[in-house]
Amino acid sequence: MNERTGAQLRVIKTVTNVLRAVDISAWLFGGWGLDARIGRITRDHGDIEFWLERVALSDPRQCS
C-alpha cells in the first residue's frame, strides 16, 4: 500500500466515523466502493466518492 492509498483510507475512516456519530447514512461509491464490497484494494484511486441521502443534508451544520 502506498502513501496516497493510506491517506485515502484514513479519510474514509474519518468521514464514516463522523457521519455515524451524527446518525447520517452514507455509502462509499466508485472504485473505493467496489474495493470495499470485494474486500481488497484492486488499484490506486484518484478520488473518494460518498453517496448521502439528500434528506440527511437538510441542515449541513449537522456535520460541523
Side-chain angles (χ1 to χ4, degrees):
M1 175 178 1
N2 65 34
E3 187 176 327
R4 180 179 184 169
T5 298
Q8 289 177 329
L9 288 170
R10 287 188 296 278
V11 167
I12 291 168
K13 183 177 181 177
T14 300
V15 169
T16 56
N17 286 342
V18 168
L19 292 174
R20 187 178 304 120
V22 293
D23 200 28
I24 294 177
S25 297
W27 292 264
L28 194 55
F29 242 72
W32 275 115
L34 178 61
D35 284 3
R37 179 77 176 157
I38 64 174
R40 65 183 172 85
I41 299 170
T42 59
R43 61 179 176 85
D44 289 338
H45 298 282
D47 60 4
I48 303 168
E49 301 162 287
F50 286 94
W51 183 84
L52 298 105
E53 289 184 86
R54 183 177 292 251
V55 69
L57 296 177
S58 61
D59 183 359
R61 294 169 293 176
Q62 277 182 293
C63 293
S64 39

